[in-house]
Amino acid sequence: MTSKYIFSEMEPSSSGLGGSFEVLASFTVDIIPAPFNDVSVKIDTGCSISTVPLGAFRVLRLFCDGLKKSDIRNGVPYQLSYGVESAGMRHKKPNTDAEKMNCPAIKFQHDITGFSIAGVPIHDDKIFVNYDRRGNILIGMDIISKWDVHMSISKDSGKYVFLGCPLDSINDEYRDALARHFGIDM
């Protein structure tokens, strides 16, 4: 289902303090032969680089190890994760192939196609994949920074909501939602 903008009501945390915005996404990553259809992702303004942790899908450990070895062998560009996604732990920069294999913070850049978030087509063509982590798929600021974004208490529902739309596809439906939820005329 195609949508004109991204909408999410904040899901409260189990402690009742804060919460998160979760939506469904669909995409295909170049190293996985099957598409990811309607998988849960978190919109995370505290995350710098969007990441797909393959461990979240309970894929076979051997399969992930083989993909990671292939990325290392082929010199695929990578980043190290710090902050929330690594529990704040700093990792020593891996230098050898063996150190890279043993580093759970390493994530590799891959092509992404057929990308949509909450039914909105997303034009980004790269995403990072981590083979060791089992956490949430995080949509970070590398993608969100290309959107118009608003978060606040909705005048319509009284709930804390997220509205977003890629900057290159601002539309009347999004403008109407901004007016209805936040009283913003755009």
Side-chain angles (χ1 to χ4, degrees), residues 133-147:
R133 298 241 167 88
R134 299 179 195 278
N136 298 302
I137 297 174
L138 300 178
I139 303 303
M141 290 306 296
D142 57 326
I143 293 174
I144 299 168
S145 64
K146 299 172 191 156
W147 300 349

Side-chain angles (χ1 to χ4, degrees), residues 161-177:
V161 301
F162 173 97
L163 290 176
C165 186
L167 289 167
D168 63 359
S169 58
I170 301 292
N171 57 76
D172 289 340
E173 289 89 344
Y174 178 62
R175 288 184 189 94
D176 291 345

Side-chain angles (χ1 to χ4, degrees), residues 47-52 107 127-129 138-143:
C47 172
S48 298
I49 300 172
S50 301
T51 305
V52 177
K107 56 188 174 186
I127 199 155
F128 281 81
V129 173
L138 300 178
I139 303 303
M141 290 306 296
D142 57 326
I143 293 174

Side-chain angles (χ1 to χ4, degrees), residues 75-97:
V76 173
Y78 68 89
Q79 297 277 326
L80 297 179
S81 297
Y82 298 114
V84 174
E85 67 264 27
S86 65
M89 294 171 40
R90 283 257 180 223
H91 297 273
K92 185 180 123 188
K93 183 174 176 17
N95 294 310
T96 67
D97 288 358

